[in-house]
Amino acid sequence: MVVLAKGELEQIALPAAQPPLAHVRAIDLSAAPGPGRAAAARALVSACEEQGFFKVTGHGVPPELVRAAEAAAAEFFALPQAEKEAAAGRPLGYGSKRIGVSGDLGWIEYVMLGVTPAGALPAASFTSWTLPCAGAAVASLSEPPCPLRDLLEEYAAAVRRMACGVLELMAEGLGVAPADALSRLVSDAESDSMVRVNHYPPRPELQGRLLTGFGEHTDPQVISVLRSNGTSGLEICARDGSWTAVPPDADSFFVNVGDALQVLTNGRFRSVRHRVVVSSERPRVSTIFFGGPPFGERLAPLRQLLGDGGRSRYREFTWKEYKSSTHKGRLATDRLCSFEN
């Protein structure tokens, strides 16, 4: 449930104009192990340079796992509000309407969990909150496993494997060695990665206006991988500042270039600015895997991508330093400009 005061609703109301549909490049990962690998690598690089956004098919994530995780999420969000709020925490846990700590609001409720490279949720994630299961009292670590938590563990492991494969294809397309130059950041045992499930309830009647579900932003991590239940709402920003709507696709995964990947490629790849607009009478549920590097990882453009002049657009910094900076501004803040040379 999302409860907003009238003044808060006004803050997130948007004009009812419908943006044009985006052309989203589709990459078939099933062709990558064979003769089509080089072509897939080139297509990935092109998509990251042009939009910083693409979708993947032939991804190998079991559809029955996706459907089960989606059903468990819907069951969780249908729980009484008091039970969901028992899982509240910052930054991990259940939340509603407030995004971050700087005043951003949205027509959204969500669950956010930390994940390890194996996909399991570290015990530390549950020291300050617990995840309730439908039809049961609030669950604790000693109680029977919660279906949503268990499914998200398995889901995160499958999507991480796919994300690492995508990053290795990117490295190949860029001509970067070794093959795991990018993927090691997400597969590392200390990788700072998360999985987030967003629920956007059907919008209230607002005389034809739309609502901001999740305000415009870029993702700070290396890569983010999103799947939704086939309900529209996701929009991406073009280089000229115009917005286009992403056609829903319940069978594919959408991939965003994150800020860290923009830095690693010295700006060659573009971290895509995106948002979610609530315009449907159907609820939208999206699950996003955020692949981040270890906190102590030093980030700077890869030497192989500096070009003839050898000029780096960004100064070196740690992931911990950059992630901390994301908590100091609003969602729409351009965070990378403070790290440019």
Side-chain angles (χ1 to χ4, degrees):
M1 179 187 298
V2 181
V3 180
L4 292 173
K6 183 178 180 181
E8 292 176 326
L9 280 172
E10 291 295 327
Q11 287 183 49
I12 65 172
L14 295 169
Q18 293 291 334
L21 292 178
H23 172 69
V24 179
R25 187 172 299 216
I27 312 294
D28 183 3
L29 296 182
S30 66
R37 183 176 179 85
R42 289 193 299 270
L44 274 178
V45 169
S46 179
C48 292
E49 291 174 337
E50 293 170 7
Q51 286 185 313
F53 182 82
F54 55 92
K55 68 180 181 180
V56 293
T57 61
H59 43 71
V61 179
E64 60 272 15
L65 171 60
V66 171
R67 288 193 296 269
E70 181 180 299
E75 194 173 331
F76 171 80
F77 288 118
L79 287 170
Q81 191 65 21
E83 291 187 34
K84 289 184 290 187
E85 289 179 354
R90 182 178 294 178
L92 304 178
Y94 171 80
S96 173
K97 81 177 181 179
R98 300 193 185 281
I99 304 169
V101 296
S102 299
D104 288 286
L105 298 173
W107 189 253
I108 183 176
E109 60 178 345
Y110 60 87
V111 169
M112 188 160 59
L113 309 172
V115 294
T116 70
L121 305 176
S125 298
F126 296 97
T127 55
S128 60
W129 63 275
T130 53
L131 186 61
C133 304
V138 173
S140 70
L141 287 175
S142 60
E143 291 176 344
C146 173
L148 177 58
R149 185 174 61 226
D150 289 351
L151 285 165
L152 288 179
E153 291 176 4
E154 188 177 353
Y155 179 92
V159 175
R160 186 193 296 268
R161 286 193 295 271
M162 182 256 287
C164 287
V166 168
L167 289 169
E168 289 175 5
L169 269 180
M170 287 181 186
E172 183 175 323
L174 288 166
V176 170
D180 67 347
L182 300 174
S183 64
R184 68 172 184 81
L185 301 173
V186 177
S187 63
D188 190 283
E190 301 298 323
S191 167
D192 175 38
S193 297
M194 298 180 297
V195 63
R196 178 176 180 133
V197 186
N198 292 333
H199 174 227
Y200 305 94
R203 64 180 174 88
E205 288 300 324
L206 285 175
Q207 298 179 339
R209 288 185 295 174
L210 309 180
L211 285 178
T212 300
F214 206 115
E216 65 173 277
H217 65 287
T218 60
D219 294 335
Q221 292 86 359
V222 176
I223 191 173
S224 51
V225 183
L226 175 148
R227 185 206 170 271
S228 76
N229 61 344
T231 301
S232 62
L234 179 62
E235 297 181 356
I236 58 174
C237 187
R239 290 185 181 272
D240 63 4
S242 63
W243 290 94
T244 55
V246 175
D249 183 343
D251 298 318
S252 302
F253 283 84
F254 293 93
V255 180
N256 295 341
V257 169
D259 294 346
L261 188 52
Q262 178 170 318
V263 170
L264 291 164
T265 60
N266 204 30
R268 183 170 169 180
F269 286 2
R270 173 177 175 249
S271 180
V272 64
R273 186 166 290 271
H274 54 288
R275 67 184 183 186
V276 173
V277 174
V278 180
S279 59
S280 173
E281 295 181 358
R282 285 188 60 206
R284 174 182 169 88
V285 177
S286 58
T287 306
I288 312 99
F289 170 79
F290 297 97
F295 277 109
E297 183 72 30
R298 304 196 69 82
L299 300 173
L302 298 173
R303 291 185 180 276
Q304 298 166 75
L305 299 178
L306 290 180
D308 295 336
R311 180 181 178 276
S312 173
R313 288 184 54 183
Y314 305 96
R315 64 176 176 85
E316 187 178 77
F317 53 89
T318 65
W319 169 241
K320 181 178 180 180
E321 180 184 358
Y322 187 64
K323 188 173 183 179
S324 296
S325 76
T326 68
H327 301 309
K328 299 175 182 177
R330 302 295 294 269
L331 274 177
T333 301
D334 181 358
R335 299 175 292 259
L336 276 181
C337 64
S338 300
F339 295 84
E340 294 177 349
N341 283 322

